[in-house]
Amino acid sequence: MTDPTPRLEIKNLRRSYGGRQVVDDVSLQIMPGQVTCLLGPSGCGKSTTLRMIAGVEMQDSGTIHVDGKLICDTVFRVPPERREIGLMFQDFALFPHLSVADNVGFGLKTGTKAEKRNRIEDLLKRVDLLRYIDGYPHQLSGGEQQRVALARALAPQPRIMLMDEPFSGLDNRLRDGIRDETLSILKEEDTAVLLVTHEPDEAMRMADEIALMRDGKIVQQGAPYNVYTRPVDRASVAFFSDANVLEATVNGALADTVFGQFLAPGVPDGTPVNIVFRPQHLRIDFDRAGKGPRPTATDGAPARAVVERARFMGNESLVEFVLEQDGSRLRATVPNVFLPQPGAVMWLTVRRDRCFVFPVTR
Ligand SMILES: Nc1ncnc2c1ncn2[C@@H]1O[C@H](COP(=O)(O)OP(=O)(O)OP(=O)(O)O)[C@@H](O)[C@H]1O
């Protein structure tokens, strides 16, 4: 059996501005019905990548294929309007002088009047806005306008939908509902989706696959679970959540820390390393007459620490500690309410299988 053809395939895309490489050898494949999130900090080249796929920006090198057909390389270029690509941007405003029906029907080039009307009604039904079919954009809330924009983008049945931070203008309560609704409609339509966002939560919520981008490059790509639990470097951990960092130097493929030794296979002696872990993986035990929990294989050795500050965050509490041994600061998150007094002495251990050992890169 041959591999199924990706709906969208970009290979080795590069783009520079004024000698600065903003998109640097980016490759991606997206299957029909799959949602891939291009996730990364502001300025890392996400939107430029999207614009090249849309065809409004030319790459310096690299190719773009849709359903196995070349749509763009450095000599051949299908114009944007013939790429069958839908666009949804945060500030992709509706046409204020057109009715909701005319906005949705704007991109429908083929079909009879009745067929077009049917498609418009069907889409508005699916975004639950059929009642506004003859209304105008200014009569709709921000969330409703966004749903009309989705219906408009979907109307011509694009093979691919490119979305650039499409939900960031919406308030939090609205956002979750609209995100989920949008996702289920896109899946039903079997559209391949490339969604650009700088918010890890949004990517985790929406994506089948996350492509983590930094300085113009995709540094890691995979299912959200894999990207989150097997980060490739310290910055990748820190991009998704707060990160605790211990410093150590490798000796005999081991890194010695207050929590015991960590394996650093293949790392040469004398290499400085960071042991990185998330606040939810720090365990807190009470001090029992100067003693802490016994060392175990899963949690390593305990280290004494003093509470510096504790804050209630809603679903969890955040406790900040100073380690007695070397004065370094660590943060722990604990479900529900746990607010020890500043100055309290406690013992900390860390889930060893949730720690990542990375050589320090400068
Ligand atoms: N037309 C342009 N001319 C010059 N520089 C540009 C141009 N477009 C983008 N850049 C630069 O390229 C870099 C990447 O921009 P891009 O918009 O792709 O980043 P981004 O990851 O989408 O960021 P954001 O999330 O803030 O939109 C930025 O430093 C930006 O200033």
Side-chain angles (χ1 to χ4, degrees):
M1 221 173 85
T2 52
D3 282 341
T5 310
R7 173 60 53 84
L8 172 68
E9 181 168 32
I10 60 178
K11 279 194 224 158
N12 312 110
L13 279 196
R14 287 176 199 271
R15 178 77 168 106
S16 64
Y17 293 115
R20 191 163 70 90
Q21 200 71 46
V22 253
V23 175
D24 190 0
D25 201 17
V26 166
S27 299
L28 268 180
Q29 288 190 351
I30 309 180
M31 305 307 290
Q34 186 186 336
V35 177
T36 294
C37 280
L38 206 49
L39 172 67
S42 183
C44 73
K46 308 179 296 291
S47 304
T48 305
T49 305
L50 221 64
R51 289 203 302 272
M52 290 190 285
I53 300 168
V56 294
E57 186 95 50
M58 264 304 268
Q59 67 266 36
D60 298 330
S61 60
T63 57
I64 303 168
H65 288 79
V66 174
D67 288 325
K69 274 204 205 116
L70 180 72
I71 60 159
C72 191
D73 61 14
T74 38
V75 278
F76 174 75
R77 178 165 182 259
V78 173
E81 65 280 8
R82 291 202 10 241
R83 291 192 180 191
E84 295 181 69
I85 291 177
L87 304 172
M88 217 179 135
F89 297 156
Q90 181 197 341
D91 52 2
F92 215 57
L94 298 173
F95 303 115
H97 57 289
L98 295 185
S99 70
V100 168
D102 290 343
N103 263 286
V104 175
F106 186 79
L108 287 177
K109 302 288 180 233
T110 55
T112 63
K113 214 172 161 194
E115 282 165 348
K116 286 182 183 171
R117 183 76 183 180
N118 279 344
R119 176 82 178 143
I120 293 166
E121 284 181 3
D122 173 51
L123 282 162
L124 284 174
K125 220 180 280 166
R126 282 155 74 186
V127 296
D128 197 21
L129 288 175
L130 189 56
R131 63 193 175 287
Y132 291 122
I133 189 161
D134 296 316
Y136 282 81
H138 72 269
Q139 298 167 318
L140 307 178
S141 71
E144 288 163 347
Q145 289 186 23
Q146 200 70 352
R147 278 144 63 197
V148 174
L150 172 68
R152 182 178 66 179
L154 282 172
Q157 293 182 294
R159 293 168 194 247
I160 297 161
M161 182 71 88
L162 302 178
M163 306 173 99
D164 197 344
E165 312 261 2
F167 309 109
S168 53
L170 304 173
D171 80 46
N172 283 346
R173 279 171 308 121
L174 266 181
R175 190 151 49 170
D176 288 351
I178 291 179
R179 266 201 293 232
D180 293 349
E181 208 171 280
T182 302
L183 197 60
S184 66
I185 294 172
L186 289 165
K187 293 259 172 201
E188 271 167 37
E189 295 266 319
D190 223 21
T191 316
V193 180
L194 184 59
L195 176 105
V196 156
T197 180
H198 65 273
E199 289 181 42
D201 286 354
E202 179 154 281
M204 300 287 277
R205 194 177 176 110
M206 303 271 307
D208 299 306
E209 204 157 283
I210 289 177
L212 195 57
M213 197 165 177
R214 197 184 311 140
D215 298 332
K217 289 186 192 310
I218 292 180
V219 292
Q220 189 170 8
Q221 200 171 331
Y225 177 83
N226 292 340
V227 175
Y228 187 87
T229 57
R230 288 182 228 141
V232 288
D233 55 21
R234 175 179 168 173
S236 302
V237 182
F239 192 70
F240 281 93
S241 70
D242 216 354
N244 287 309
V245 181
L246 302 172
E247 288 169 4
T249 303
V250 173
N251 189 1
L254 292 171
D256 235 334
T257 75
V258 289
F259 296 114
Q261 293 182 316
F262 288 84
L263 291 174
V267 182
D269 278 4
T271 308
V273 288
N274 288 146
I275 291 93
V276 185
F277 54 94
R278 298 193 156 100
Q280 66 264 38
H281 298 130
L282 200 61
R283 283 193 36 189
I284 304 168
D285 268 290
F286 290 101
D287 185 69
R288 300 177 194 90
K291 288 210 169 85
R294 285 169 188 277
T296 66
T298 47
D299 290 345
R304 254 164 76 101
V306 177
V307 174
E308 189 173 49
R309 190 179 307 131
R311 275 176 286 171
F312 180 58
M313 310 288 288
N315 288 332
E316 59 187 18
S317 302
L318 172 68
V319 190
E320 294 174 87
F321 290 96
V322 177
L323 282 176
E324 271 193 349
Q325 188 169 321
D326 63 5
S328 52
R329 287 186 157 69
L330 296 179
R331 293 161 154 230
T333 48
V334 184
N336 303 317
V337 191
F338 178 67
L339 299 171
Q341 286 299 317
V345 173
M346 303 207 154
W347 288 85
L348 304 178
T349 46
V350 60
R351 286 275 303 271
R352 296 176 70 77
D353 62 343
R354 303 297 160 90
C355 290
F356 312 105
V357 181
F358 299 121
V360 177
T361 48
R362 300 206 191 278

